[in-house]
Amino acid sequence: MKRAVFFAPFIGFIALVAILYAGFHLNDPSHLPSALVGQRFPGFELPELTSGKVLGHQTLLGEIRLVNVWATWCPTCLHEHTTLMDIRRATGLSIVGINYRDDGEKARRWLSLYGDPYDFTIVDANGDLGVELGVYGAPETFIVDADGIIRFRHVGDVNDGNWNREFLPILDSLTDG
Amino acid sequence: MTTSTSDVLTAKYESLDATLGTLWGAGPEIGHLAAIIGLVAAIVLSVLGHVGAATRRRSWVENSGSFAVLQLITLVVAFVLLVHAFLKDDYSVVYVVSNSNALLPWYYKVSAVWGAHEGSFLLWTLIMAGWTFAVAMIGRRLPYQIYGRVLGTLGLLNTGFLLFLLQTSNPFLRLVPNVPTVGADLNPLLQDFGLIVHPPLLYAGYVGFSVAFAFGVAGLISGRLDATWARWTRPWTNVAWAFLTVGITLGSWWAYYELGWGGWWFWDPVENASFMPWLAGTALIHSLAVTEKRSAFRSWTVLLTILTFSLCLLGAFIVRSGVLTSVHAFAVDPERGVFLLVLLGVTVGGSLALYAIRVPAIRGRIAYMGLSRELFLLINNALFVVAVAVVLVGTLYPLAYEAVTGGDKISVGPPYFNRLFVPLMGLLAVFLALVPVARWKRTPIRLFRQVCWLLLASMLVGAVFFVVAIMSDRVLNIGSIVGVVIAVTLALWLLLSHSVDFIQRKGARPLGYLGMLLAHIGFAVGAVGVATTSVFSHETEVRLSPGDTVELNARQYHFVSVTTVNGPNYIAQRAKFDVGGISLYPEKRNYLARDSVMTEAGIEPGFFQDLYIALGEPLPDGSWGVRIQEKVLVRWVWCGGLLVCFGGLLAVMDGRYRRLALRRDGLATAVKAA
């Protein structure tokens, strides 16, 4: 029995390798249905980035919106930023930013430097809203319908590929319905 | 007179060069051949060492040392020939033409050798051969079964590395017949003093842990994992750890002044790749102390030797496989990555299997009580292993995510690392402050009384500091101030408890003890630097034209002028700023060969704070985006790192290791004589 303990590191290593190997052949975890889909967007009372005005959950209502979680410490967000600018320009879709665990000064500088695709940006400096949303990295993007219901969650950057493959069909179905 | 002497010398050199001309011309081929001979030497070394030890052929083992010498000589030859190709601008060599340029100053031509993948891996194998040579020379007094297995394991490892080099990353490949005339130049980011010294030091650390690993493997095979084994392993591990410490510190300093952001640690995968082995190595050197002094933690210590070196290999895989640029790129050209993965899998899997089979027979049970030094070192180990796990998950998760989703990227940034890492280090500081009172086996409670008073004194100072910080008119959030106050209090407590112990200690204060004090105090200094600089620093980003003045933290920054300056291989816009009697010269450099623009920050370093100015983009109206920062106590971060490194080196020089070796020798001769 005791001897088995010493096999633990070896077995752990083999398991890690197996999981990684299997991972490469499994489905995309960003496609996994999120528990949040179909739920109401969590309530919040947080300041807006530039105006400082406190916004609540009702500000999201009335329109289909993309809600994009971003931060200046996140290099992937910078990469994604151009895509968001393009989407905003091409579709006119409302995009709302959540500035996640970041420095307000840096975030404002970022938007003035790279352009601002957001209708408004909610400041989640302590990451509380992020916890509600189950955010564990950045960026993440949600589709929220006019009633404030989360319709889709995407973890990782929005790029041309997943925009056409995943976002557009859902947005189309929402506008048709 | 002097000119004629130098003329004569130049003429002599040229005639020598001409004589050697044909030979020099074939330099890359000879270098390639030398690397192949090095590979053969590594294979012979592994066979002689392992088979000799297993079959008790003493002469095989004793002769294996000469192949360690041969391996070093051939790799030095290969390396020197590559350096020569760079100095002579031999653009028929692919690696030279892609990483050098005729305009590059000679010292950057030399450091360009390890500026990219192939050359830096050649340096890796060379350093590996250097460590093997050192073990072969210094370790002669070891029992021959241990000596043979250590050298044999090192030989096996370098066999793998050299196969990788020759198979996937040959720096000697030629580009013929159409030889380019202009080199692509070294990446401008790397044209810097920091890069000349950073990689060799870092590699010396990475590869150095292979010695601890080899001792671990040799101990497992031979069934010897006792106090003596730990005493052999300790100095080697300390040296490797000290190299890694100084390498990481220099890397952080380089990022600070070269990247132009004023940050000193970014939690990016390349940094983490070197930080993980450091954390595991720190656990290892402490665990080795317990194994040496008390014969305890044996199976745990040997597992750490495997873990530490595995993390070194993992780091090499992360940095060298191309998986960082993009998992996609890795999948398209997987040759290097797959080779490294196989190397990693065989080494880690093989050694862990050996561990599982051999360790139950070897481990010992030693009793110790609560509140003993053993317990403190166990806590140290637990904290460091958790820290490794935190960094490992944060580093691998984005890579795994990208691989699994087929290209979606995600960033796990400083918020994740800081939230988990900072509390761990706080906890570590508490136990560190208690270290001087802890005794082996069992600590009398009364010893804790004094250290509690010291804590009280530190808290008093911390409280005063808190009030002063709150009273100062700065707009700061209370939470961050509390963070700094906690850090300063703990650091002060640590300093006091260690100083008091130094003063009160009866009898000798050996170098090992002094090294421990110095390294722990280095940790305190670094912690104060980290906490203070991240909370109390000032920063502004403004648009300025020459003649403008801006104020930051009651200090006037006057933008005097911008002039154009010609460097050896770049043209720079150099700005002049006057700040209270001193001038700073930040630059924007355009490196011609690659047409890439680099920011060279203007820094006025100081013990208490750095003034840091970086030029942003020039704007059409002649003004510039300028980032001005005052980094409070930022130098303390690196001072701490250097103190930790010196502490490690001091412990290595402790004469007790040599005396014990001699005494054992004396004993052996006495036995022989009898």
Side-chain angles (χ1 to χ4, degrees):
Chain A
M1 261 313 280
K2 280 264 171 71
R3 285 185 74 104
V5 176
F6 296 102
F7 276 92
F10 179 69
I11 292 165
F13 176 71
I14 297 296
L16 187 73
V17 171
I19 290 168
L20 283 178
Y21 181 79
F24 281 84
H25 297 271
L26 275 180
N27 283 331
D28 188 339
S30 68
H31 294 191
L32 290 177
S34 161
L36 288 165
V37 171
Q39 302 283 318
R40 193 164 288 282
F41 196 87
F44 60 87
E45 294 231 333
L46 291 168
E48 206 276 328
L49 182 64
T50 41
S51 67
K53 217 173 73 179
V54 175
L55 303 179
H57 166 247
Q58 65 284 356
T59 44
L60 291 180
L61 302 178
E63 204 177 333
I64 299 168
R65 297 176 200 271
L66 291 183
V67 177
N68 173 250
V69 180
W70 66 282
T72 59
W73 49 258
C74 153
T76 313
C77 300
L78 183 57
H79 179 74
E80 182 193 42
H81 201 80
T82 2
T83 316
L84 291 179
M85 293 295 288
D86 290 344
I87 290 171
R88 175 73 201 184
R89 214 170 305 142
T91 66
L93 190 69
S94 165
I95 309 180
V96 174
I98 294 179
N99 184 232
Y100 174 63
R101 295 183 66 94
D102 203 359
D103 180 79
E105 186 62 36
K106 284 185 186 159
R108 279 186 288 274
R109 198 186 298 148
W110 162 296
L111 291 182
S112 69
L113 201 58
Y114 303 115
D116 186 352
Y118 306 113
D119 284 7
F120 52 89
T121 299
I122 299 159
V123 178
D124 184 24
N126 298 325
D128 297 338
L129 181 56
V131 170
E132 293 280 326
L133 288 169
V135 171
Y136 43 88
E140 289 201 14
T141 302
F142 296 84
I143 298 177
V144 180
D145 70 12
D147 301 321
I149 307 290
I150 296 173
R151 291 299 181 181
F152 180 64
R153 175 187 187 188
H154 177 79
V155 180
D157 65 330
V158 176
N159 51 44
D160 288 349
N162 56 39
W163 176 255
N164 292 322
R165 203 170 54 239
E166 296 161 30
F167 283 85
L168 276 184
I170 293 171
L171 288 168
D172 286 344
S173 74
L174 285 177
T175 36
D176 291 346
Chain B
M1 272 310 282
T2 43
T3 43
S4 69
T5 323
S6 83
D7 281 352
V8 170
L9 280 178
T10 317
K12 271 194 175 166
Y13 177 75
E14 272 167 7
S15 79
L16 180 74
D17 210 36
T19 327
L20 291 172
T22 0
L23 204 58
W24 279 142
E29 281 68 34
I30 300 174
H32 190 172
L33 180 67
I36 294 172
I37 301 175
L39 170 66
V40 174
I43 295 171
V44 176
L45 178 65
S46 346
V47 173
L48 285 185
H50 274 300
V51 178
T55 57
R56 298 176 179 277
R57 290 191 172 91
R58 202 183 177 113
S59 61
W60 283 32
V61 173
E62 276 166 358
N63 287 317
S64 67
S66 15
F67 288 90
V69 179
L70 176 65
Q71 181 186 225
L72 180 65
I73 292 171
T74 52
L75 291 178
V76 165
V77 167
F79 190 78
V80 166
L81 285 170
L82 189 60
V83 172
H84 180 261
F86 268 88
L87 286 174
K88 284 274 164 184
D89 298 318
D90 185 349
Y91 293 150
S92 67
V93 178
V94 183
Y95 184 66
V96 177
V97 78
S98 0
N99 293 291
S100 186
N101 184 282
L103 292 175
L104 207 59
W106 70 270
Y107 41 90
Y108 290 143
K109 283 184 183 169
V110 174
S111 71
V113 170
W114 54 85
H117 173 80
E118 289 86 346
S120 65
F121 217 85
L122 179 63
L123 178 66
W124 174 293
T125 57
L126 172 65
I127 293 175
M128 184 81 205
W131 278 101
T132 311
F133 172 77
V135 175
M137 293 299 119
I138 300 170
R140 280 176 187 276
R141 290 211 186 97
L142 294 171
Y144 81 93
Q145 287 102 332
I146 297 280
Y147 182 74
R149 275 162 182 145
V150 169
L151 283 186
T153 308
L154 291 172
L156 275 177
L157 289 172
N158 217 19
T159 302
F161 295 145
L162 282 166
L163 277 174
F164 175 74
L165 181 83
L166 292 166
Q167 181 69 29
T168 74
S169 325
N170 190 340
F172 297 108
L173 291 182
R174 296 266 201 180
L175 201 64
V176 278
N178 298 315
V179 175
T181 50
V182 183
D185 206 0
L186 175 65
N187 181 348
L189 262 182
L190 308 180
Q191 295 184 23
D192 178 79
F193 170 75
L195 185 90
I196 298 182
V197 291
H198 171 61
L201 286 170
L202 206 58
Y203 287 4
Y206 269 151
V207 175
F209 280 117
S210 68
V211 179
F213 173 82
F215 269 103
V217 169
L220 281 171
I221 298 178
S222 63
R224 188 160 187 182
L225 283 176
D226 49 10
T228 321
W229 170 83
R231 199 171 303 132
W232 295 327
T233 315
R234 266 186 100 178
W236 295 101
T237 314
N238 272 345
V239 174
W241 179 79
F243 270 123
L244 198 56
T245 310
V246 73
I248 293 172
T249 309
L250 271 170
S252 155
W253 177 57
W254 172 78
Y256 169 77
Y257 70 75
E258 187 64 22
L259 296 180
W261 306 331
W264 47 270
W265 190 259
F266 300 95
W267 290 113
D268 82 24
V270 177
E271 289 171 329
N272 294 349
S274 60
F275 197 42
M276 288 186 286
W278 186 84
L279 291 168
T282 311
L284 173 61
I285 57 175
H286 288 93
S287 177
L288 270 170
V290 186
T291 308
E292 186 203 336
K293 301 289 185 205
R294 299 277 305 133
S295 275
F297 295 4
R298 290 182 196 184
S299 50
W300 174 238
T301 303
V302 76
L303 185 60
L304 277 178
T305 64
I306 296 172
L307 177 71
T308 307
F309 185 61
S310 304
L311 288 168
C312 292
L313 287 180
L314 180 71
F317 168 73
I318 291 178
V319 178
R320 291 274 147 242
S321 65
V323 66
L324 279 185
T325 359
S326 158
V327 174
H328 181 69
F330 169 68
V332 171
D333 182 16
E335 197 188 5
R336 283 177 185 167
V338 169
F339 199 118
L340 280 175
L341 264 188
V342 170
L343 202 64
L344 184 70
V346 170
T347 313
V348 180
S351 52
L352 286 178
L354 179 71
Y355 174 84
I357 295 163
R358 293 290 296 164
V359 111
I362 298 163
R363 76 212 167 90
R365 289 214 163 273
I366 306 286
Y368 53 91
M369 312 278 284
L371 284 183
S372 59
R373 197 181 283 180
E374 288 92 326
L375 180 77
F376 277 79
L377 287 162
L378 189 66
I379 293 169
N380 151 301
N381 270 240
L383 287 173
F384 274 101
V385 168
V386 173
V388 168
V390 165
V391 180
L392 187 69
V393 168
T395 308
L396 290 188
Y397 177 73
L399 299 179
Y401 187 82
E402 194 191 341
V404 170
T405 57
D408 287 1
K409 284 174 180 262
I410 190 167
S411 299
V412 173
Y416 161 83
F417 290 106
N418 291 345
R419 178 170 270 191
L420 294 174
F421 204 79
V422 170
L424 273 176
M425 290 301 110
L427 209 56
L428 183 71
V430 172
F431 288 103
L432 267 179
L434 293 172
V435 159
V437 287
R439 298 288 181 265
W440 293 119
K441 293 188 206 171
R442 183 187 181 152
T443 308
I445 291 291
R446 65 182 165 78
L447 288 177
F448 284 101
R449 225 166 278 152
Q450 185 179 42
V451 89
C452 286
W453 285 112
L454 294 178
L455 174 62
L456 211 63
S458 316
M459 283 165 85
L460 227 67
V461 175
V464 172
F465 179 71
F466 180 71
V467 173
V468 171
I470 294 283
M471 301 272 275
S472 67
D473 55 348
R474 306 261 292 285
V475 192
L476 274 171
N477 106 34
I478 298 278
S480 340
I481 295 185
V482 170
V484 180
V485 168
I486 292 176
V488 168
T489 308
L490 288 175
L492 186 64
W493 184 31
L494 196 164
L495 180 69
L496 284 176
S497 75
H498 281 66
S499 310
V500 165
D501 188 66
F502 175 76
I503 295 162
Q504 291 178 340
R505 189 178 168 103
K506 295 184 186 75
R509 299 185 182 90
L511 285 178
Y513 168 74
L514 295 179
M516 181 271 282
L517 290 186
L518 200 59
H520 288 180
I521 289 169
F523 174 85
V525 170
V528 170
V530 170
T532 317
T533 196
S534 48
V535 173
F536 290 125
S537 293
H538 296 263
E539 168 177 355
T540 183
E541 190 149 320
V542 281
R543 180 189 280 204
L544 293 177
S545 301
D548 288 353
T549 299
V550 66
E551 191 183 294
L552 175 68
N553 192 28
R555 200 178 261 112
Q556 304 288 328
Y557 291 82
H558 181 58
F559 188 0
V560 182
S561 59
V562 180
T563 45
T564 304
V565 181
N566 287 317
N569 54 344
Y570 61 85
I571 296 176
Q573 299 293 105
R574 176 181 290 173
K576 184 183 182 202
F577 280 81
D578 281 343
V579 192
I582 42 175
S583 295
L584 294 179
Y585 300 93
E587 290 179 17
K588 204 82 188 171
R589 289 181 182 170
N590 187 5
Y591 283 85
L592 304 167
R594 293 195 175 196
D595 193 25
S596 52
V597 178
M598 286 288 123
T599 302
E600 199 76 4
I603 303 174
E604 172 67 23
F607 185 72
F608 292 106
Q609 67 177 357
D610 277 20
L611 306 182
Y612 188 110
I613 303 179
L615 287 181
E617 296 307 312
L619 299 158
D621 62 350
S623 66
W624 290 77
V626 181
R627 174 181 286 193
I628 302 174
Q629 301 183 71
E630 292 185 14
K631 309 292 284 184
V632 180
L633 297 193
V634 68
R635 305 262 140 191
W636 289 40
V637 177
W638 309 306
C639 283
L642 290 181
L643 284 177
V644 170
C645 166
F646 288 139
L649 289 178
L650 218 53
V652 177
M653 289 186 287
D654 196 323
R656 283 180 292 176
Y657 292 112
R658 272 184 297 281
R659 268 204 300 282
L660 283 161
L662 285 177
R663 196 185 307 156
R664 206 175 42 251
D665 249 33
L667 212 69
T669 26
V671 170
K672 243 182 233 165

